[in-house]
Amino acid sequence: MTLMPFGSDPILVTGGAGFIGANFVLKAVSSGRRIINLDKLTYAGNLDTLTSLEGDERYQFVQGDIGDRALVAKLLARYRPVAIANFAAESHVDRSIDGPAAFIETNVVGTLGLLECARDYWRELQGDARKNFRFLHVSTDEVYGSLAAEGLFTETTPYAPNSPYSASKAASDHLVRAFHHTYGLPSLTTNCSNNYGPYQFPEKLIPLTIQKALVGENVPVYGDGRNIRDWLFVDDHCSAILRVLEAGRVGDTYNVGGNAEQENITVVKTICALLDQYRPLAECKSRESLITFVRDRPGHDRRYAIDATKLKRELGWAPSHTFESGIALTVRWYLDNQPWVQRVLDGSYRMERLGA
Ligand code: NAD
């Protein structure tokens, strides 16, 4: 298996101010890679996460849209990246229910613009630079739809997206596939399960629960709380992406999962128990009493679960965290980084209910 020689050539990361992208940027730079981070800074982008890289010559931030062809072409010509890792997206399912158009604009039209720029840049490369170039598209297991109690998503599961968000991601995955088959663009796609960990925007289940339970507010749980997700610790996801970039088979897709299926209600109760242990409430009140069931999300998929054996078999990747170790680290991180959380909450988002 040949490893892609990154050398000193940078990777162009899009959406690197978001949750997963920023974790990836921090990990990649700390392991010696050069990163150009192109991010539009929507409500989900937060440069606060990346302050430790200020002044680091291995890191460059550019504010802009992945669909801005002139800007992307200029960045490619200037920085000559060896790879593009596309994290940029409208990514919040509830927001896609309230307003799907932005999801089509960025996830479909924006990805198309990025692909066209990548194709044109790659075509002009010569020798090893052309051979080694990769376009890695970060996608989701939600493109596969919902599972019943049994079974797992594999790379050959037919697409059946159920929300405007997953439909837009499915469209972008198909475009990436088509650019490989039509133009030969050396692309790779990863479809991962629900991520959690440091720096996640506090409207997602895990940080929202931590934040509400910490201050003793009611903790909302959609429907009956029995929806199942396969939780992936974000640092494990980032190492999987690096591995696929280095050694993935061009044109292929790889599922990334945490082998950590949990019902939402179990996730919430685990967080309550950890907080009770780390920060007991007055009079030993248990935070489980804060759990409040609320009206379900429309079209809420029942179960996602990933079969990541291809990634293990072919590239030797497996998650290093169990759900128990990852969630304990995550709760600790949020307790230790309340100033980061507060600065996010000072912005437009106020933990209001979306997508109802
Ligand atoms: P996020 O919403 O936290 O971050 C997205 C980032 O993209 C933000 O910094 C935002 O400013 C930027 N962005 C949005 N539109 C842009 C545009 N037009 N041009 C440039 N930048 C733009 O998302 P995330 O949770 O970090 O997810 C990253 C990727 O992983 C997404 O493609 C998402 O679909 C995928 N994914 C996420 C999860 C998860 O659990 N979070 C699971 C599976 C797949």
Side-chain angles (χ1 to χ4, degrees), residues 1-6 11 24 27-28 31 33 85 87 134 136 188-190 235-250 254-256 308 310-319:
M1 190 178 294
T2 50
L3 287 195
M4 186 175 114
F6 282 108
I11 302 174
F24 180 83
K27 189 177 182 73
S31 63
R33 298 183 202 281
F87 293 87
R134 298 288 183 270
L136 187 144
L188 301 151
T189 299
T190 53
D235 190 61
D236 279 333
H237 183 199
C238 294
S239 35
I241 287 172
L242 283 168
R243 187 70 194 133
V244 173
L245 265 176
E246 285 170 352
R249 199 181 316 121
V250 160
Y254 295 88
N255 279 355
V256 191
K310 176 178 175 183
L311 195 48
K312 180 158 192 203
R313 189 178 61 245
E314 295 191 6
L315 306 185
W317 176 90

Side-chain angles (χ1 to χ4, degrees), residues 14-22 37-46 64-68 86-92 102 105-107 110 137-142 165 169 190-196 199-201 204 231-232 234 237:
T14 71
F19 164 47
I20 306 172
N37 176 11
L38 171 65
D39 196 295
K40 189 177 173 182
L41 296 183
T42 67
Y43 70 91
N46 184 359
D65 196 311
I66 55 167
D68 181 343
N86 183 31
F87 293 87
E90 286 290 338
S91 78
H92 292 205
E105 199 49 51
T106 283
N107 301 357
H137 178 63
V138 179
S139 191
T140 168
D141 61 356
E142 298 188 32
Y165 162 67
K169 291 297 287 188
T190 53
N191 294 86
C192 69
S193 53
N194 279 42
N195 281 225
Y196 69 103
Y199 302 114
Q200 188 168 26
F201 196 75
K204 294 288 184 103
W231 292 95
L232 173 64
V234 65
H237 183 199

Side-chain angles (χ1 to χ4, degrees), residues 89-108 140 142-143 160-172 297-301 304 355:
E90 286 290 338
S91 78
H92 292 205
V93 179
D94 288 335
R95 285 179 188 259
S96 84
I97 296 167
D98 286 348
F103 286 70
I104 301 304
E105 199 49 51
T106 283
N107 301 357
V108 186
T140 168
E142 298 188 32
V143 296
N162 287 324
S163 70
Y165 162 67
S166 54
S168 69
K169 291 297 287 188
S172 65
R297 167 193 283 165
H300 201 181
D301 286 337
Y304 306 141

Side-chain angles (χ1 to χ4, degrees), residues 243-276:
R243 187 70 194 133
V244 173
L245 265 176
E246 285 170 352
R249 199 181 316 121
V250 160
D252 264 19
T253 66
Y254 295 88
N255 279 355
V256 191
N259 298 330
E261 276 186 64
Q262 300 285 343
E263 289 186 342
N264 286 348
I265 189 67
T266 310
V267 171
V268 169
K269 284 182 177 173
T270 306
I271 292 168
C272 288
L274 285 165
L275 285 171
D276 284 346

